[in-house]
Each structure stands twice: as C-alpha cells, then as structure tokens.
C-alpha cells in the first residue's frame, strides 16, 4: 500500500507520467544499455529493442500498476504480475538487477520530465517502483524455489523438419524438471557475433513424455531483419547438440479440474495446445474440449495430423479448422475456409478458454467469446512476443 501522501501525488501526476512514458522508457533503455551493454547482448531481446515492442510492454505495465495502486489498492493486477514474473524467471532475472533498472528508469524520468519532478513526486514514484519490484521479486523467488534458476544443458535427441518453415527438436535436459502442459522454456544460444540471445519456446508435447519437444517457426524478415534465434536454430542445431535451457515457466497452463475447455490457436500458437491435448490423452481424460485451429493453409499447419489424432483419441473432444487457402484439400468437409469463426461453435456453460496465436486472431476470438457470454476472467491467452495486451489483463 502507498502512503496517503504518495497515493495523492501519484494520482495527480499519473497523466503527465503516462503521457511521457514512451519517451521515459526509450531513454531508460538507451542509457541502461549504453552503460551495461551486456544486458542488451545477453539478456534482452535485441530484435524487440530494435522494433520498439518491448518498450510498449514495460511502459504499459508500470502505468497499469500505478493506476491499480491508487484506484483499487485491494486488488493488484495479479494476472499481469504473474505473467511478467514467469517471463523474468525464464530469463533468470535477479533481485540485484532491480536496482540497475531503478537507477536508469529514475534517471530517465528526471531527464524527460525535468523540473516537473519535485523531490516529493520522485519519492512517490519511487514507492510505486519498489512496490511493484518487491511484488515481482517475491513471485520470482517462489518460482525459482519451485523450478530452479539459470541454465541447464539439454541434449537434442531428435530434429524433425515439420513444414517448410518449422522444425521440432526433442530435448533431454540433464536433470529432470517439473513442467505443466502449456508452459514454455527459454533457450539461450550464442550467435556468430558472440551475443547470447534468449527466446521462449512452448513445450509441444505432454510433460509426462519425459523428453521435451519444442517446435520452432523460422521468422522471416519480410522487409525487416530475419529472426535471429529461430534462423540460427534452423540453420545449426542437429541431433546430438546441446542447448542451454531454463526450467519450464508460464501461466497459460491447462485449467485444472474437469470443466469444459475451448483451446483455440492460430499458426505456431498451436504448440501449447498440443501439450495440453497430449497431457489429456496421456491421463485418459474424458473432459469436454472444443479445439479450434486457424492457419494459412493445411500445408503450413504444423503438426496437423498429430492435432487431429490427439483430438480423435479424446472421447470428449471436437476439432474445427479454418484455412485461409485450402490448397489441395478443397472439398474436405472437416475444414472451413477463411478466418476462424467462434460465433456458432458449440460452447458448454462454464467453458474456460485458452487462446494462443497472433494478436489479431486472439482479439477477434476474445471479442466473439465475450459476445457469447463467456466472462473475460474465463479467457486466458499467451502472446509469442512482448505482451502488448499485458496492461489490459
Ligand atoms: C511465451 C512464449 C512462447 C513461445 N513459443 C514459441 C513456440 O512454441 N514456437 C515458436 O516458433 N516461437 C515461440 N515463441 C516466439 C519465440 O520466442 C521467438 O520470439 C521467435 O522464435 C522469434 O525469435 P527470433 O530471434 O527468430 O526473432 P527476433 O530476432 O527476436 O526478431 C523478432 C522480430 O523483430 C524484427 N526485427 C529484428 N530486428 C529489427 C530491426 N532492426 N528493425 C525492425 N524489426 C526488427 C524481426 O524481423 C522479427 O519480426 C514464443 C514466445 C513466447 C514469449
Ligand atoms: C519493476 C520493474 C520491472 C517491470 C515493471 C518489468 C516489466 C516487464 C514487462 C511488462 C515485460 C514483458 C513481459 C511479457 O512480454 O510477457 C518484461 C520483460 C522483460 N524484463 Fe522486465 N520488468 C522489470 C524489471 C526487470 C529487471 C530488473 C530486469 C533485468 C535487468 C528485466 C528484464 C526483462 C527482460 C530481459 C524481459 C524480456 C524482454 C525481451 O523480450 O527482451 N526486467 N518486463
């Protein structure tokens, strides 16, 4: 809880800080990376820094947290905090690094807002920062205690070309680590210029299978630079190689219990859904599950047959597929053409939805579910990049 004086100051200055937060975070990263280049080289995703997406996520989260603190102090944005803590834990963020972020963030606030920042205002925002930081540090400590912190060698048992743009890797970590269906691991690779870049990949099989499978889509530049890590993994990694991986983290996990589910994915977003379905198969579940998948074409749909086989193995599951282009599969009554449409899908009362795919797909799916009466609190999602929805969660 903030002191009453600080809460009043934060409330009064929220519009000016929120209005300048893009400039503040831009300056923050610029100065932090100038003094600590190893953070950009070996911890942050330099592609996201170059395209500016990470700034939006960080700025949005701080503004959302400050708003919650002053408007609804009894209910902090727990979904958002858990999402950030899981991401941080998968990257190995340490408690000490919060002081580094603090130093450059508050330096940037002073530079951007200048004389507006009286000692009283600085003090009030300091309280906000440490309130959020301490909450995150506590969550991350718990995650590390349960799952472990840092990097573990994992041997690549198998590499499989799945579609023109995707490969899967079966990984055997040196030590067993607990995982939940839907979680992801971070993979850290050393690139040709010596930078150690980290990316997250969802497990695409059930944790019970022992070896973990990840499925990696190669990110093509399309005008911008090629995706660094996905391109490197495609070009270099083969059976017998060893990758550095984190323990599994992530809060988009299979909802517990035996209630009805809607699992909706598009493109490579199918990976956590595969893990959840595989887990349901392994555990002999008869849960009611509606599976929706959208893709560009059947040929681009990675693990297409596997998805159909998993659904067929579950007595309570049905599958709906949409392809923008049916290609050679025109006439197949089991698939539809166009964008996924959830408006007429058979939904059971009390359904919990998990969405994973590009933001436009998830926005449309969420809107259709809300229109059909599914409460927002029953709709969970994962973004395969900086979470630009995070402040709205
Ligand atoms: C929780 C989670 C789970 C995920 N699960 C999976 C999964 O199962 N499978 C999967 O394939 N992926 C998954 N991802 C995505 C994955 O982590 C990577 O983001 C993805 O592989 C792209 O990484 P990259 O290094 O190839 O691209 P990056 O190098 O990170 O590039 C990202 C984007 O930035 C652009 N960019 C780079 N530099 C610039 C520049 N200078 N100017 C403008 N634009 C630029 C690139 O063109 C590209 O579009 C997941 C992500 C998250 C967060
Ligand atoms: C109160 C302080 C902090 C806040 C509010 C914050 C907020 C965030 C948010 C919102 C994200 C995006 C999460 C997502 O996309 O799912 C993120 C990611 C990240 N954070 Fe933090 N963070 C804080 C502290 C730190 C610290 C101390 C470090 C370590 C130096 C750090 C390193 C990272 C990294 C490396 C990422 C991934 C970004 C990328 O893709 O490059 N953060 N953080």
């Amino acid at each position: 809880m903030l002191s009453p004086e600080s809460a009043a100051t934060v409330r009064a200055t929220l519009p000016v800080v929120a209005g300048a937060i893009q400039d503040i975070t831009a300056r923050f990263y610029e100065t932090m990376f100038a003094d600590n280049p190893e953070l950009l080289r070996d911890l942050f995703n330099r592609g996201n820094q170059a395209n500016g997406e990470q700034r939006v996520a960080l700025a949005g989260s701080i503004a959302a947290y400050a708003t919650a603190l002053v408007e609804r102090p009894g209910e902090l944005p727990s979904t958002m905090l858990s999402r950030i803590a899981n991401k941080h834990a998968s990257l190995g963020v340490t408690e000490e690094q919060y002081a580094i972020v603090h130093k450059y963030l508050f330096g940037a606030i002073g530079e951007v807002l200048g004389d507006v920042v009286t000692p009283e205002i600085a003090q009030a925002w300091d309280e906000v920062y440490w309130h959020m930081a301490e909450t995150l540090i506590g969550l991350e400590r718990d995650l590390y205690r349960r799952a472990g912190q840092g990097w573990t060698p994992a041997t690549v048992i198998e590499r499989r070309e799945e579609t023109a743009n995707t490969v899967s890797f079966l990984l055997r970590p040196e030590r067993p680590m607990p995982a939940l269906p839907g979680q992801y691991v971070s993979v850290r690779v050393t690139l040709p210029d010596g930078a150690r870049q980290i990316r997250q990949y969802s497990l695409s099989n059930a944790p019970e299978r022992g070896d973990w499978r990840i499925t990696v889509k190669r990110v093509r530049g399309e005008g911008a630079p090629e995706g660094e890590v996905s391109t490197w993994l495609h070009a270099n990694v083969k059976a017998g190689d060893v990758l550095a991986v984190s323990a599994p983290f992530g809060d988009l996990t299979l909802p517990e219990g035996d209630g009805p589910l809607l699992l909706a994915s598009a493109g490579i977003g199918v990976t956590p859904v595969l893990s959840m379905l595989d887990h349901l198969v392994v555990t002999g579940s008869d849960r009611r599950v509606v599976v929706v998948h959208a893709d560009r074409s059947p040929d681009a749909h990675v693990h297409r047959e596997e998805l159909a086989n998993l659904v067929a193995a579950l007595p309570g599951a049905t599958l709906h597929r949409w392809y923008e282009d049916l290609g050679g599969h025109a006439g197949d009554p089991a698939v539809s053409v166009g964008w996924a449409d959830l408006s007429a899908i058979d939904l059971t009362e009390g359904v919990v939805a998990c969405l994973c795919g590009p933001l436009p797909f998830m926005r449309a799916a969420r809107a259709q579910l809300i229109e059909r009466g599914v409460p927002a609190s029953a709709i969970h999602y994962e973004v395969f990049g900086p979470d630009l929805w995070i402040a709205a969660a």
Side-chain angles (χ1 to χ4, degrees):
M1 195 77 77
L2 292 184
S3 64
E5 300 76 27
S6 291
T9 308
V10 167
R11 199 176 287 115
T13 51
L14 244 174
V16 63
V17 173
I21 203 128
Q22 295 287 353
D23 291 341
I24 293 170
T25 43
R27 188 69 191 136
F28 152 65
Y29 282 121
E30 207 179 312
T31 49
M32 183 169 77
F33 293 145
D35 287 356
N36 304 274
E38 72 288 354
L39 288 180
L40 180 57
R41 202 183 56 225
D42 297 337
L43 178 63
F44 283 80
N45 175 331
R46 52 188 184 180
N48 289 345
Q49 287 300 321
N51 66 27
E53 290 204 347
Q54 170 58 19
R55 288 173 196 174
V56 182
L58 181 101
S61 78
I62 294 179
Y65 192 84
T67 309
L69 261 185
V70 296
E71 305 297 345
R72 306 173 294 278
E75 33 172 309
L76 289 179
S78 55
T79 307
M80 177 181 90
L81 290 164
S82 159
R83 172 75 36 120
I84 301 172
N86 273 279
K87 180 70 83 61
H88 281 170
S90 84
L91 292 154
V93 167
T94 63
E95 221 168 304
E96 295 71 40
Q97 285 171 329
Y98 279 86
I100 303 179
V101 165
H102 174 264
K103 174 177 164 193
Y104 292 95
L105 189 57
F106 280 75
I109 291 176
E111 265 185 62
V112 171
L113 295 180
D115 293 344
V116 173
V117 190
T118 61
E120 183 197 22
I121 292 174
Q123 160 66 26
W125 280 92
D126 216 62
E127 265 188 61
V128 172
Y129 176 84
W130 283 112
H131 202 285
M132 188 167 188
E134 273 156 22
T135 313
L136 287 171
I137 289 168
L139 292 171
E140 286 154 27
R141 204 180 286 141
D142 281 351
L143 289 167
Y144 289 140
R145 198 177 303 125
R146 267 184 275 143
Q149 182 173 11
W151 304 99
T152 301
T155 305
V156 179
I157 301 298
E158 189 187 9
R159 170 189 169 124
R160 281 184 60 157
E161 312 299 317
E162 300 288 356
T163 66
N165 273 328
T166 49
V167 292
S168 65
F169 301 102
L170 200 60
L171 306 176
R172 185 169 300 164
E174 198 175 62
R175 63 184 173 94
M177 289 185 267
L180 293 170
Q183 287 193 309
Y184 55 82
V185 292
S186 281
V187 175
R188 187 180 70 178
V189 305
T190 304
L191 295 169
D193 68 351
R196 288 193 300 194
Q197 285 279 293
I198 304 168
R199 299 293 183 270
Q200 291 72 41
Y201 294 99
S202 302
L203 303 186
S204 63
N205 64 350
E208 292 84 353
R209 301 268 176 209
D211 292 335
W212 298 337
R213 188 182 64 181
I214 59 170
T215 306
V216 179
K217 177 184 168 191
R218 181 175 167 190
V219 172
R220 307 266 175 191
E222 287 161 14
E226 300 275 289
E228 285 204 279
V229 173
S230 62
T231 304
W232 189 89
L233 290 169
H234 273 242
N236 296 289
V237 176
K238 51 190 189 316
D241 289 349
V242 175
L243 291 172
V245 299
S246 73
F249 291 102
D251 58 355
L252 183 82
T253 55
L254 185 73
E256 285 178 7
D258 54 8
L261 297 169
L262 169 72
L263 306 179
S265 58
I268 191 65
V270 74
T271 48
V273 169
L274 288 166
S275 175
M276 292 180 190
L277 289 172
D278 196 19
H279 167 82
L280 293 172
V281 169
V282 171
T283 53
S285 170
D286 59 1
R287 216 166 159 174
R288 187 118 199 241
V289 194
V290 175
V291 181
V292 168
H293 183 78
D295 227 307
R296 277 195 315 284
S297 68
D299 289 341
H301 179 174
V302 64
H303 302 304
R304 175 165 52 96
E305 277 182 26
E306 186 180 325
L307 181 71
N309 291 341
L310 288 169
V311 170
L314 289 166
T318 51
L319 175 61
H320 305 265
R321 281 164 293 171
W322 275 268
Y323 298 113
E324 286 169 49
D325 172 4
L326 286 177
H329 300 256
D332 181 345
V335 298
S336 311
V337 71
W339 291 61
D341 179 7
L342 305 187
S343 58
I345 288 228
D346 193 14
L347 290 181
T348 314
E349 183 69 30
V351 71
V352 174
C354 295
L355 315 178
C356 191
L359 273 180
F361 163 79
M362 293 202 288
R363 256 189 221 115
R366 188 173 188 272
Q368 287 178 337
L369 293 174
I370 286 178
E371 173 90 355
R372 295 195 56 190
V374 178
S377 59
I379 306 173
H380 307 290
Y381 70 92
E382 186 81 85
V383 182
F384 278 5
D387 184 351
L388 308 184
W389 259 8
I390 201 161

